[in-house]
Amino acid sequence: MDYAPLSAACVKSLNDKLYEKRKAAALEVEKMVKEFVTHNNTTQIKRLIKVLGQDLTLNHNPHSRKGGLLGLAAVAVGLGPSHTGNYVKDLIHPILCCFNDSDSRVRYYACESLYNVVKVARKDIIPYFADIFQALSKLCCDTDQSVKVATELLDRLMKDIVTECLEFDIPAFVPLVRERIYTKNSFAKTFLLSWISVLSAVPEFDIVVFLPDILDGLFKILEDTQPDIRKFADNVFIEFMQRMMNILIVHAQSQDESQQLTAIIWLDEFLRLSGSNLLPYTSGIFTAILPCLSYEGDTKKSIKKTANHVNETLLKLLVSKRKEENVTSETSIADSLDLTSIIEVLTKYLTMQQLSVQTKVAILRWLDHLLKNLPKEMQLHVEELFPVLVEVMGDNSEEVVTKALVVMSELIDHRSTNLEENKYFIKFMVNLLRLFDSDRKLLEDRGSFIIRELCVLLNAEKIFKVLAKTLREEHNLSFASLMVQTLNEILLTCPELFDLRLKLKNLDCEESMDVFIGMYKSWSHNPVCTVSLCFLSQNYDHAYNLVKAFADLEITLELLVEIDKLIQLIESPIFTFMRLELLEPEQNESLIRALCGLLMILPQSDTFLLLQRRLLAIPSAAMNLHMPKKNSIAKNVSKSIRDKINFKELFDHFVSIQKQHHEQKKQEQRNLITSDMSNLNINDG
């Protein structure tokens, strides 16, 4: 028989039963092909492929078939990537025929041979994908383990090539799967699922469109008795859902109401079916539904309602997943959530002025749940959240501000025993003061509300201590005075401050003394507030000295208004204890003198008459001002603690602060005149 262009010796070696001789002959074939390529001898190449593909691979001798397969692989290697494409069909068809060989070693060599051809040809084998896929789908069920291993290697290479080739024909691939998806063989099921999974992971391959063609078969595979196959099928379903989730998220943001509603309804259903498997898509879902929570009007009522249901379902999934995690450590909720993307989306929408209260409250609920359920992970995002939450303090809605304060308290970690050393607590207090300073209307309208809410959520005493310390370093003296006035009003009127008032009233320990001194130094920015603090703490001697010091202050309308407010407060339940002490005038002479001093400062108004009537109600002995001065400290207060307070130093501090206020006011007046003159010069010019 004529085997040209192969030599007789080469043919003999290709037919030999020893692998080493067949391998040596294959190397000779490779060299021969390279020479043919160099001389562009296509006729000899075709002749060689025909000899190897027909005369040897179809030979009844299994060793000849093995040699033929090795030879065909050698031809592909000799041709190289640039020339193999012209001969792919003639190379692979003889090899595929050997996939059905009765000899397992021949089937093994067929896999190895095709692997080498495919490795060289790469995308040139795509037109013959159906033939190769069909052969692989059978060989994956082979009973010989070595053949299975070789098949897996070839299958992996085919997947790599297909996923690299964006021109791959998905519509032609789907029928190949549909024909085989009802197979009973477990290996065949795994083979098909692996291909579906790989192709569905390529964004450019829109395999979701063809889901109806294979959906029934996938459900059948879910019935398999082997858990690993059922799990694989379930994961494929999840992959399809995830691809579809991206599509739904896009359409859920459509301007067309019908399209938007349909997409959100589908999102809702997917969450119901797939549950926590869709948590990785949380940020995308937020992008779709959060704006919908702000919709108004009947036409968008259904969209808003469905979007709200999606949000609640997602929130429940987070909580249930967390409970599940507490039971088993197999999965972690932190692994399921892309917190960076989630925080980015939530903070973006939280600061959008056009969004409704409902949307912002929903966002703040999410932040609160995330901080509670993932405290360690969320600590990595504190710097991103912090400025946004401070900004929300200025929101028009009290509900939004309240929820933001709840989140801030969680972020600060109100359970911390060293709250005063918590850098985020101090930072928030400082930033809050800066916000009040820059937005006086916010301070006027919401200042008291915000601080009161904070006192409930955190520790009222710590809040006042940190604010007082910060205000002592405040350079804007007018703001410091205004802020002290706000804090003093809260201190003297709000039930949330009962414990702090009690501590200041009793002054029965070193800690309460430190609180008093710290507050006094800040309260010194406002004379009337300083007096009220001394009234509250029963330091009547010092209160009297402060009232006398008013003689050196400029008595402005603002000062008189504040004294008026103080007199009104003295008549409130907060100062009941002080009014009762007026029943013992001999022991509280300084208190009486301080009140008389305030009376002397006031013009004769309704408030003047109110305080006058109160003083006239004191037992007559109180008016004998020539009586020997006695200790003015209330009987129920520890004298030893008060003896440690350097009231002279505090008084000097008060005077110093008042001088600073006076100098600043004079400077402001100079600046105003200078500014007016500058404007005048400009106009004259």
Side-chain angles (χ1 to χ4, degrees), residues 294 355-362 395 397 399-400:
S294 296
L355 294 183
S356 70
V357 171
Q358 186 175 350
T359 299
K360 293 179 180 180
V361 168
D395 195 89
S397 166
E399 185 180 4
V400 171

Side-chain angles (χ1 to χ4, degrees), residues 665-681:
K665 186 176 292 186
K666 285 169 62 178
Q667 185 60 48
E668 288 172 355
Q669 290 172 342
R670 291 192 198 99
N671 293 341
L672 182 62
I673 295 171
T674 306
S675 174
D676 288 344
M677 290 299 294
S678 298
N679 293 334
L680 182 62
N681 291 335

Side-chain angles (χ1 to χ4, degrees), residues 461 465 503-504 506-520 539 639-647 650:
E461 180 183 327
K465 285 178 72 175
K503 178 171 283 191
L504 290 169
N506 293 332
L507 284 184
D508 55 359
C509 64
E510 297 280 348
E511 182 185 358
S512 60
M513 182 184 73
D514 291 340
V515 173
F516 168 75
I517 293 174
M519 290 177 64
Y520 181 99
N539 289 302
K639 187 174 183 298
S640 59
I641 293 295
R642 293 180 186 278
D643 287 343
K644 294 181 180 180
I645 301 176
N646 189 335
F647 281 106
L650 291 180

Side-chain angles (χ1 to χ4, degrees), residues 253-437:
Q253 300 172 66
S254 170
Q255 296 300 313
D256 182 87
E257 292 182 15
S258 178
Q259 185 178 348
Q260 188 181 29
L261 177 59
T262 302
I264 295 176
I265 289 173
W266 276 64
L267 280 176
D268 194 24
E269 188 63 18
F270 270 38
L271 280 171
R272 187 185 68 81
L273 292 172
S274 195
S276 58
N277 290 315
L278 295 181
L279 283 176
Y281 290 82
T282 300
S283 62
I285 297 172
F286 282 159
T287 304
I289 65 168
L290 288 176
C292 300
L293 301 181
S294 296
Y295 285 172
E296 299 294 341
D298 294 336
T299 59
K300 294 188 175 183
K301 187 176 180 180
S302 297
I303 296 175
K304 181 177 181 179
K305 182 179 179 181
T306 310
N308 186 61
H309 190 265
V310 170
N311 182 63
E312 292 300 320
T313 302
L314 204 55
L315 198 60
K316 289 175 183 176
L317 283 176
L318 172 71
V319 176
S320 61
K321 181 73 173 176
R322 184 61 174 167
K323 289 179 180 177
E324 176 187 325
E325 186 179 308
N326 290 335
V327 176
T328 173
S329 59
E330 291 181 7
T331 57
S332 171
I333 189 173
D335 297 334
S336 303
L337 296 169
D338 181 359
L339 277 178
T340 300
S341 298
I342 289 173
I343 297 301
E344 183 180 345
V345 172
L346 292 178
T347 52
K348 171 188 171 184
Y349 283 114
L350 187 57
T351 53
M352 285 187 177
Q353 294 297 325
Q354 66 270 29
L355 294 183
S356 70
V357 171
Q358 186 175 350
T359 299
K360 293 179 180 180
V361 168
I363 292 170
L364 291 165
R365 281 183 65 206
W366 265 102
L367 291 173
D368 184 52
H369 276 277
L370 290 170
L371 284 164
K372 286 176 178 174
N373 288 282
L374 300 171
K376 292 181 181 178
E377 293 81 357
M378 286 295 287
Q379 281 300 314
L380 300 174
H381 301 278
V382 169
E383 295 297 336
E384 304 158 58
L385 286 171
F386 195 91
V388 176
L389 290 171
V390 172
E391 183 180 342
V392 175
M393 295 299 113
D395 195 89
N396 293 327
S397 166
E398 283 195 1
E399 185 180 4
V400 171
V401 173
T402 300
K403 294 294 188 296
L405 288 169
V406 171
V407 174
M408 181 63 83
S409 69
E410 195 65 41
L411 182 148
I412 289 170
D413 186 8
H414 59 277
R415 293 171 294 276
S416 173
T417 53
N418 297 318
L419 194 58
E420 289 176 82
E421 298 176 8
N422 185 309
K423 66 176 183 178
Y424 291 113
F425 173 66
I426 296 171
K427 184 178 179 181
F428 176 61
M429 292 294 107
V430 171
N431 277 272
L432 187 61
L433 286 178
R434 296 283 70 78
L435 183 64
F436 286 152
D437 189 13

Side-chain angles (χ1 to χ4, degrees), residues 180-197:
R180 296 166 175 79
I181 201 164
Y182 294 101
T183 178
K184 301 296 183 183
N185 187 283
S186 297
F187 295 106
K189 290 177 183 178
T190 303
F191 171 78
L192 294 172
L193 289 171
S194 69
W195 270 97
I196 295 170
S197 177

